[in-house]
Every structure is written in C-alpha cells, then in structure tokens.
Amino acid sequence: MVLVGIARLAAHSQLLEAKREVEYFEIPARSILNRTRPNMPFQWTINPYRGCEIGCKYCYARYTHEFMEMDPFSFEDRIYAKTAPAVLLRQELERIDKREQIALGTATDPYQPAERRFERTRAILEVFARERGWYLGITTKSDLILRDLGLLREIARRNVLAVHITITTTDEKLARLLEPRAPRVELRLATVRRLRAAGICVAVFPNPIMPGITDSEASLDAVAKAAKQAGAISFGGGPLFLPGAAQQVFLPFIEREFPQLAARYRETFDKGVHLSRRYKDALAEKVRRIRARHQLISGPMDYRPELWVEEEQMALFPLT
Ligand code: SF4
C-alpha cells in the first residue's frame, strides 16, 4: 500500500517520545501493617501499593523495588497492588495498641493513579470508618483523596485523623520537573481547602526539602503562605534523603537539569545518604521561623473526634 498525505507524513515522523507503559500487578501480602524503627513519629505504616507511578525524581522509596530484585527505574512503571488489604487490616488491628500512630502512604502515594481503578486505599479507609479510637495520618500529593471525602469525615468523627498534603514548591514549572505525574500545585491547594471545609485536619509538608532547589527562605515561605491561605493547620518539613537506589535516579537528574549544583550534590552524597547535621539544624530553624511567621503549628493537631466528645459528655451526665 502506498501511503499518501497525512498518512505518509505520520509514517515517516520522527519519534519525539515514546509514551511510558505502566504495568499493574497484584501481589499477595503477608501483612498490611508494618512496624517502624524506634524514634519515628508513628509506629505503624500502611502502603497499599508497591511502586509509585507519580515518579518523583527525588523519591527515597525506590529501594523498595530492590527488595523484589528490580531496578530503581521500574519503581514508577511496575506497580503492585496488595491483595485483600481490608481483610488483613481487620485482623491486624486486633493485635496492636490503639495509642500507637498509623501512617498511610509512607513509601508510595496511596492516591497514585492506580488507586482510581484498584481502590486498595479506599478498602483500607472503609475499615477505619467502622473503627473507633485510632490515630491515623495519610500522606498524599493527589487530589484523588477528595473521592473519599465522605469516608474521611466518618473516620474523623471516630478517630484522630490528619491528612498531610505534600507541596514541595509553589512554582508549577519546577514542580512539573521534579514530580512529573503529580497533580498541579493549584489542585493540591484546592484539595487542602476542600478537606478543611469538610472539617478534616490538614498539614502541608514541603518534603523533601532540596538544597539549592527548594530550600530558600522565599521558596519555603511561599509554600507556607499558600498553605495557610488554603486553611492548613500545620506545616513542617525535612531535608532530602537519598538511599542508594534513589541516588541512581536523582543525581543524574541533577546533572542534567541543575548542572551548577551537580558537584556539590555528588560530594555530599558520596559520603552517605543524609545531608550534614549542620545543614539539617539550619534548615529546621528556617522551617520553625517560617511556621511561626504564618501562625502554623508543628502538629500533632489537637482535636477530639466528635464521637469521643459525645461519649465523654454522656459519661459526665449519666441519665440513669
Ligand atoms: S508521590 Fe511519594 S511515593 Fe510516589 S514517587 Fe513521589 S515521593 Fe515517591
């Protein structure tokens, strides 16, 4: 067949970019609650997926794919949804102490695009919506969390719930470069507004704070200011941390996009996975200053779920 016109042009076009293919798998899990190391602000984590399609350049969690003998680049292309998370959760909650904090979404975003179809996070929230007395935090960059607003409200009536929205920068162009498939910053701020309007406690975290990229006073101040205007209660932030697999992705990215920073990044991360104590202390002081300027708190947020208050009142004024 002889191709003519637009068909011929199309057939001879130069490939600019091949669209990435993401593959989804189901993976059996032995447990859904994972114990953290001592001195963490939470004692248990839940990650309904392995891998994260959002594919942030700085993501520290790429090492989790190494456990499955996969290269760190496949972290965003091969996504594993855990089997039956609700069944596991119901069984495991019976065995843990209610005073311990549970963090949902520490090594993958629980509202990454896969969640739209596979609803593993939703299944977990349905369990918490029937429970009472837990301390739960959810971390995400995605406005997809608004799909579950009704469940979140129910959870917050019965449990202490905080949602942490990650916003590394208010600069949309920079965000697109760092977090290519995350929702736009404006959508994330709108998510903060909607969650607050529904009475949910919301924190904004500019994590990870990246030296020379997002760590200036002006950059962090802009995030805190936008967070406050959107109604966030709490603000905090910690520095970049690059375990080996994350370095394989992030350092070449720095060389390509921020060549003026490349030598300093290489020198720093040749020595280990963390930034220096001096840098961390100066950054913590900067975050404290900015938080105070915008009258934001560092958390935990002080509120009593509606049902707890009702029960306490009933206990104070017994009817019989
Ligand atoms: S959204 Fe979070 S888990 Fe997903 S790639 Fe980005 S940093 Fe990693």
Side-chain angles (χ1 to χ4, degrees):
M1 186 174 59
V2 180
L3 295 174
V4 292
I6 189 72
R8 182 167 174 278
L9 288 175
H12 290 95
S13 297
Q14 191 188 345
L15 179 69
L16 289 178
E17 187 187 5
K19 188 158 169 25
R20 234 173 93 249
E21 270 192 23
V22 181
E23 295 177 298
Y24 302 98
F25 303 87
E26 178 134 64
I27 191 165
R30 277 199 299 272
S31 65
I32 195 76
L33 281 168
N34 292 301
R35 192 57 142 151
T36 59
R37 292 190 314 271
N39 304 324
M40 296 283 284
F42 40 82
Q43 287 69 47
W44 299 96
T45 62
I46 303 178
N47 287 290
Y49 298 92
R50 274 180 171 274
C52 182
E53 199 176 333
I54 295 177
C56 305
K57 301 297 179 193
Y58 49 71
C59 182
Y60 82 92
R62 293 175 186 277
Y63 71 89
T64 55
H65 258 41
E66 285 184 317
F67 294 153
M68 299 189 292
E69 310 220 336
M70 289 178 191
D71 76 60
F73 295 91
S74 65
F75 180 77
E76 60 227 58
D77 295 336
R78 293 173 72 86
I79 309 299
Y80 295 80
K82 294 184 183 170
T83 309
V87 177
L88 289 172
L89 183 62
R90 273 193 296 271
Q91 291 164 357
E92 291 170 33
L93 285 179
E94 282 174 20
R95 299 199 290 267
I96 72 166
D97 185 341
K98 277 200 168 161
R99 287 164 302 185
E100 295 186 318
Q101 310 258 348
I102 303 172
L104 171 58
T106 54
T108 55
D109 196 306
Y111 286 101
Q112 60 175 293
E115 172 60 16
R116 229 175 264 285
R117 286 159 59 195
F118 305 117
E119 299 194 346
R120 302 301 150 100
T121 298
R122 188 173 171 84
I124 285 165
L125 296 190
E126 282 167 350
V127 174
F128 280 110
R130 281 185 227 109
E131 290 277 335
R132 184 197 173 284
W134 297 99
Y135 289 80
L136 177 68
I138 304 174
T139 300
T140 183
K141 288 188 172 81
S142 176
D143 56 327
L144 180 57
I145 191 171
L146 294 174
R147 179 199 65 187
D148 294 338
L149 199 52
L151 278 174
L152 295 171
R153 289 180 69 157
E154 195 51 37
I155 293 168
R157 289 181 68 227
R158 312 162 156 268
N159 305 271
V160 174
L161 172 71
V163 174
H164 308 145
I165 302 290
T166 307
I167 301 178
T168 50
T169 171
T170 55
D171 177 341
E172 293 279 7
K173 211 167 140 210
L174 178 58
R176 182 60 62 226
L177 191 63
L178 295 165
E179 306 150 349
R181 285 176 292 280
R184 284 182 292 111
V185 175
E186 194 41 58
L187 280 176
R188 291 184 237 175
L189 287 167
T191 303
V192 174
R193 276 192 289 276
R194 290 269 311 274
L195 289 166
R196 286 298 298 129
I200 309 289
C201 288
V202 184
V204 167
F205 285 95
N207 289 340
I209 301 173
M210 290 160 268
I213 303 174
T214 60
D215 69 342
S216 71
E217 181 103 13
S219 175
L220 291 170
D221 191 84
V223 177
K225 186 175 174 195
K228 178 75 182 183
Q229 284 171 351
I233 298 170
S234 172
F235 177 80
L240 182 69
F241 152 68
L242 290 180
Q247 290 189 23
Q248 286 178 45
V249 174
F250 194 65
L251 297 182
F253 165 78
I254 289 289
E255 267 153 31
R256 232 174 21 251
E257 303 294 341
F258 300 93
Q260 72 285 9
L261 299 175
R264 288 180 66 192
Y265 266 86
R266 281 264 174 229
E267 196 187 320
T268 304
F269 288 104
D270 270 355
K271 293 182 203 137
V273 302
H274 294 285
L275 288 151
S276 70
R277 172 51 51 201
R278 216 168 113 234
Y279 177 86
K280 287 186 191 171
D281 288 347
L283 184 64
E285 182 48 41
K286 193 186 287 183
V287 169
R288 263 196 295 277
R289 198 165 55 235
I290 291 169
R291 188 164 49 224
R293 189 179 303 144
H294 294 287
Q295 296 172 324
L296 290 154
I297 64 164
S298 63
M301 296 170 216
D302 184 21
Y303 92 99
R304 307 283 291 160
E306 195 184 310
L307 290 191
W308 298 12
V309 174
E310 274 174 20
E311 284 164 21
E312 283 158 5
Q313 285 169 343
M314 293 295 281
L316 281 173
F317 300 103
L319 297 176
T320 55

